[in-house]
Amino acid sequence: GEDCRPETDVDYAGSETLNTDISGAFSDLVYDGDGVLYLCTLISGTDYVYVYEDTTHTTTLNGYSNWNMNAIALNTNSANEVIVGYTTGASLGYEDNGTLPALIAGSGTSGGGYANGYMAASPNSLAVDSTGCIWTSNFAGAGTVSCVLTDGTKTDYTVGSTYLDAVALDSNETLYVAEGDSILAFDPSTETSTNYFTADSAVLDFTFDYNDDLYVETANDEVLQVIDGTSTVLGTVTGDGRLAIHPAGSLVRMKANPTAAASFEDWTLE
């Protein structure tokens, strides 16, 4: 019941406003602590990261042509903080003077629960801890997670034998991965995993709020809230989406649509 949200004066614009003011073919989203929204594209041609202060488009970061971005994260340890996944080069891109050059290449792997093949190609999910370790899934083959540093070095870990659809960190920086219908807590120091939550269908994406409550999107077209192991359906949805937490206290879902305009839904959290 404790509210652990950071102090912020930024108001959440609301999904109705986002759907009116923000239009594009987006594949992933992330908010920073000030409520600034970062969206990456997956289109035919040059891909971009668009930065929105509320609903005002303030910055564009240029990616590679036809490399296809399918994941985005922020590295708060660095001024050049935007990181993206490139499916075509199976690479990570890192912000550098308004561009997103490739940092390091992994092994191209595809699979998982997403209906869109680009969304289910590695590196398909990103999370960054306070040391600057960029955690990414399937970067060394299906069932692996990798810690990639901005100098291009990486360490690979085997979590499972099948494709991982998502990675996330809680407030204690415990690493979690989604494999099939299960979310596993993974300890890199011992290279062991324990089951944290099992859904009734494949987990597409998940995130933790500031109270470390868990939110899950499943292939059964549901968004779940999980508190102390008990799940509640927040809503039924269409298509495949990605989840993010706005610091003002909203769970935001973006229906990823690489071929047309994405759309937004939200839930107010307590």
Side-chain angles (χ1 to χ4, degrees), residues 181 197-202 218 220 222 224:
D181 62 0
F197 174 72
T198 300
D200 60 0
S201 61
T218 73
N220 199 32
E222 291 180 333
L224 309 176

Side-chain angles (χ1 to χ4, degrees), residues 83-106:
I83 302 151
V84 296
Y86 283 119
T87 69
T88 303
S91 301
L92 296 181
Y94 196 73
E95 180 182 354
D96 182 20
N97 294 318
T99 64
L100 292 156
L103 171 66
I104 185 172

Side-chain angles (χ1 to χ4, degrees), residues 92-203:
L92 296 181
Y94 196 73
E95 180 182 354
D96 182 20
N97 294 318
T99 64
L100 292 156
L103 171 66
I104 185 172
S107 300
T109 309
S110 187
Y114 280 97
N116 184 282
Y118 290 112
M119 300 285 288
S122 61
N124 62 313
S125 185
L126 305 171
V128 187
D129 66 23
S130 60
T131 71
C133 171
I134 305 164
W135 290 103
T136 183
S137 48
N138 311 299
F139 204 57
T144 64
V145 291
S146 300
C147 169
V148 182
L149 303 178
T150 55
D151 63 4
T153 60
K154 71 182 178 76
T155 305
D156 302 321
Y157 302 90
T158 299
V159 178
S161 58
T162 59
Y163 193 84
L164 309 177
D165 266 314
V167 297
L169 299 165
D170 67 10
S171 64
N172 295 314
E173 299 201 332
T174 301
L175 176 66
Y176 297 84
V177 300
E179 182 180 31
D181 62 0
S182 298
I183 294 176
L184 310 173
F186 181 72
D187 183 350
S189 66
T190 61
E191 298 190 41
T192 57
S193 60
T194 56
N195 189 71
Y196 184 75
F197 174 72
T198 300
D200 60 0
S201 61
V203 173

Side-chain angles (χ1 to χ4, degrees), residues 27-29 40-42 49 68-73 82-87 92-93 118-119 121 123-126 136 242:
S27 54
D28 200 8
L29 77 166
C40 61
T41 69
L42 200 166
V49 168
N68 300 314
M69 298 176 187
N70 69 343
I72 189 169
V82 178
I83 302 151
V84 296
Y86 283 119
T87 69
L92 296 181
Y118 290 112
M119 300 285 288
N124 62 313
S125 185
L126 305 171
T136 183
R242 293 278 172 90

Side-chain angles (χ1 to χ4, degrees), residues 224-242:
L224 309 176
Q225 179 186 56
V226 184
I227 301 177
D228 296 330
T230 301
S231 64
T232 303
V233 177
L234 289 184
T236 57
V237 294
T238 60
D240 296 340
R242 293 278 172 90

